Short mmCIF file of all heavy atoms in Angstrom, two decimals:
data_model
loop_
_atom_site.label_atom_id
_atom_site.label_comp_id
_atom_site.label_asym_id
_atom_site.label_seq_id
_atom_site.Cartn_x
_atom_site.Cartn_y
_atom_site.Cartn_z
N MET B 466 8.93 8.07 -5.32
CA MET B 466 8.52 8.11 -6.62
C MET B 466 8.75 9.52 -7.36
O MET B 466 8.31 9.63 -8.49
CB MET B 466 7.10 7.64 -6.76
CG MET B 466 6.95 6.24 -6.20
SD MET B 466 5.29 5.66 -6.29
CE MET B 466 5.23 5.26 -7.96
N TYR B 517 9.26 -7.10 -8.30
CA TYR B 517 7.97 -7.67 -8.32
C TYR B 517 8.04 -9.12 -8.91
O TYR B 517 7.35 -9.90 -8.51
CB TYR B 517 7.15 -6.81 -9.33
CG TYR B 517 5.71 -7.28 -9.58
CD1 TYR B 517 4.85 -7.35 -8.45
CD2 TYR B 517 5.26 -7.68 -10.71
CE1 TYR B 517 3.60 -8.04 -8.63
CE2 TYR B 517 4.05 -8.17 -11.05
CZ TYR B 517 3.12 -8.37 -9.87
OH TYR B 517 1.95 -8.82 -10.01
N VAL B 549 9.69 1.35 -3.49
CA VAL B 549 8.39 0.99 -4.24
C VAL B 549 8.65 -0.29 -5.11
O VAL B 549 7.98 -0.52 -6.12
CB VAL B 549 7.76 2.06 -5.05
CG1 VAL B 549 7.31 3.21 -4.32
CG2 VAL B 549 8.80 2.64 -6.11
N GLY B 551 8.20 -3.97 -6.20
CA GLY B 551 6.92 -4.83 -5.89
C GLY B 551 5.69 -4.03 -6.19
O GLY B 551 5.67 -3.21 -6.90
N ARG B 552 4.58 -4.28 -5.37
CA ARG B 552 3.37 -3.68 -5.58
C ARG B 552 2.73 -3.15 -4.46
O ARG B 552 1.61 -2.71 -4.34
CB ARG B 552 2.37 -4.69 -6.24
CG ARG B 552 2.56 -5.09 -7.70
CD ARG B 552 2.50 -3.79 -8.65
NE ARG B 552 2.71 -4.43 -10.05
CZ ARG B 552 3.85 -4.40 -10.61
NH1 ARG B 552 4.93 -3.94 -9.89
NH2 ARG B 552 4.06 -4.69 -11.85
N MET B 553 3.48 -3.09 -3.29
CA MET B 553 3.03 -2.45 -2.11
C MET B 553 4.16 -2.06 -1.28
O MET B 553 5.30 -2.62 -1.28
CB MET B 553 1.96 -3.32 -1.25
CG MET B 553 2.73 -4.64 -0.80
SD MET B 553 1.52 -5.74 0.05
CE MET B 553 2.60 -7.10 0.30
N PRO B 554 4.09 -0.96 -0.31
CA PRO B 554 5.10 -0.69 0.54
C PRO B 554 5.54 -1.84 1.33
O PRO B 554 4.77 -2.47 1.92
CB PRO B 554 4.59 0.51 1.26
CG PRO B 554 3.42 0.93 0.54
CD PRO B 554 2.90 -0.20 -0.23
N GLY B 591 13.74 -10.14 -11.07
CA GLY B 591 12.50 -9.68 -11.33
C GLY B 591 12.16 -8.29 -10.99
O GLY B 591 11.01 -7.89 -10.74
N ASN B 593 12.52 -4.22 -12.42
CA ASN B 593 12.68 -3.61 -13.64
C ASN B 593 12.69 -2.06 -13.57
O ASN B 593 13.86 -1.45 -13.60
CB ASN B 593 11.50 -4.06 -14.61
CG ASN B 593 11.80 -3.65 -16.06
OD1 ASN B 593 12.42 -2.79 -16.32
ND2 ASN B 593 11.13 -4.35 -16.94
N ASP B 594 11.56 -1.44 -13.22
CA ASP B 594 11.42 -0.05 -13.08
C ASP B 594 12.39 0.60 -12.08
O ASP B 594 13.08 1.55 -12.22
CB ASP B 594 10.05 0.48 -12.70
CG ASP B 594 9.08 0.13 -13.83
OD1 ASP B 594 9.46 -0.22 -14.95
OD2 ASP B 594 7.84 0.07 -13.48
N LYS B 626 14.52 -12.42 -15.62
CA LYS B 626 13.15 -12.11 -15.96
C LYS B 626 12.75 -13.12 -17.13
O LYS B 626 13.65 -13.78 -17.65
CB LYS B 626 12.89 -10.64 -16.31
CG LYS B 626 13.59 -10.21 -17.59
CD LYS B 626 13.62 -8.69 -17.54
CE LYS B 626 12.27 -8.03 -17.56
NZ LYS B 626 11.51 -8.05 -18.81
N ARG B 627 11.49 -13.13 -17.47
CA ARG B 627 11.15 -14.28 -18.35
C ARG B 627 11.21 -13.79 -19.92
O ARG B 627 11.30 -14.54 -20.80
CB ARG B 627 9.66 -14.65 -18.23
CG ARG B 627 9.47 -15.18 -16.79
CD ARG B 627 8.01 -15.34 -16.39
NE ARG B 627 7.38 -13.91 -16.42
CZ ARG B 627 6.18 -13.54 -16.20
NH1 ARG B 627 5.36 -14.48 -15.74
NH2 ARG B 627 5.76 -12.33 -16.19
N SER B 628 11.18 -12.45 -20.04
CA SER B 628 11.17 -12.02 -21.49
C SER B 628 11.84 -10.54 -21.58
O SER B 628 12.16 -10.14 -20.44
CB SER B 628 9.71 -11.97 -22.06
OG SER B 628 9.02 -10.95 -21.20
N PHE B 633 6.03 -2.41 -14.55
CA PHE B 633 4.89 -1.75 -14.28
C PHE B 633 4.69 -0.49 -15.13
O PHE B 633 3.62 -0.13 -15.53
CB PHE B 633 4.85 -1.48 -12.76
CG PHE B 633 3.64 -0.99 -12.29
CD1 PHE B 633 2.52 -1.88 -11.97
CD2 PHE B 633 3.23 0.44 -12.07
CE1 PHE B 633 1.31 -1.52 -11.45
CE2 PHE B 633 2.12 0.75 -11.51
CZ PHE B 633 1.02 -0.16 -11.25
N ASP B 652 11.80 -18.19 -15.40
CA ASP B 652 11.06 -17.86 -14.22
C ASP B 652 12.17 -17.69 -13.00
O ASP B 652 12.99 -18.50 -12.88
CB ASP B 652 10.07 -18.97 -13.86
CG ASP B 652 9.41 -18.82 -12.50
OD1 ASP B 652 8.56 -17.89 -12.48
OD2 ASP B 652 9.64 -19.51 -11.56
N ALA B 653 11.84 -16.73 -12.26
CA ALA B 653 12.87 -16.29 -11.17
C ALA B 653 13.17 -17.48 -10.21
O ALA B 653 14.28 -17.77 -9.91
CB ALA B 653 12.27 -15.20 -10.26
P1 LIG K 899 8.45 -4.04 -12.32
O1 LIG K 899 8.98 -2.86 -12.88
O2 LIG K 899 6.97 -4.11 -12.39
O3 LIG K 899 9.00 -5.33 -13.11
C1 LIG K 899 8.84 -6.58 -12.72
C2 LIG K 899 9.50 -7.40 -13.72
O4 LIG K 899 9.33 -8.74 -13.10
C3 LIG K 899 8.83 -7.50 -15.03
O5 LIG K 899 9.66 -6.70 -15.93
C4 LIG K 899 8.68 -8.89 -15.41
O6 LIG K 899 9.35 -9.17 -16.64
C5 LIG K 899 9.38 -9.66 -14.19
N1 LIG K 899 8.65 -10.92 -13.83
C6 LIG K 899 7.34 -11.05 -13.69
N2 LIG K 899 7.13 -12.23 -13.30
C7 LIG K 899 8.26 -12.96 -13.29
C8 LIG K 899 8.61 -14.25 -13.00
N3 LIG K 899 7.78 -15.27 -12.58
N4 LIG K 899 9.99 -14.66 -12.94
C9 LIG K 899 10.83 -13.65 -13.34
N5 LIG K 899 10.48 -12.36 -13.62
C10 LIG K 899 9.24 -12.12 -13.57
O7 LIG K 899 8.89 -4.31 -10.79
P2 LIG K 899 9.80 -3.43 -9.80
O8 LIG K 899 11.12 -3.09 -10.45
O9 LIG K 899 9.80 -4.16 -8.48
O10 LIG K 899 9.11 -1.93 -9.76
C11 LIG K 899 7.91 -1.70 -9.11
C12 LIG K 899 6.93 -0.90 -9.98
O11 LIG K 899 5.68 -1.04 -9.40
C13 LIG K 899 7.33 0.56 -9.95
O12 LIG K 899 7.06 0.98 -11.15
C14 LIG K 899 6.40 1.04 -8.83
O13 LIG K 899 6.18 2.39 -9.00
C15 LIG K 899 5.09 0.21 -9.16
N6 LIG K 899 4.22 0.07 -7.96
C16 LIG K 899 4.78 -0.09 -6.79
C17 LIG K 899 4.05 -0.34 -5.74
C18 LIG K 899 4.61 -0.34 -4.31
O14 LIG K 899 4.00 0.17 -3.32
N7 LIG K 899 5.77 -1.12 -4.11
C19 LIG K 899 2.59 -0.31 -5.84
C20 LIG K 899 2.10 -0.16 -7.13
C21 LIG K 899 2.99 0.05 -8.17
P3 LIG K 899 8.79 -10.49 -17.48
O15 LIG K 899 7.47 -10.34 -17.75
O16 LIG K 899 9.75 -10.46 -18.66
O17 LIG K 899 9.27 -11.78 -16.75
#
Side-chain angles (χ1 to χ4, degrees):
M466 301 181 78
Y517 178 61
V549 294
R552 290 293 182 272
M553 59 180 175
N593 193 337
D594 296 343
K626 67 200 296 291
R627 298 162 304 179
S628 64
F633 193 79
D652 176 72

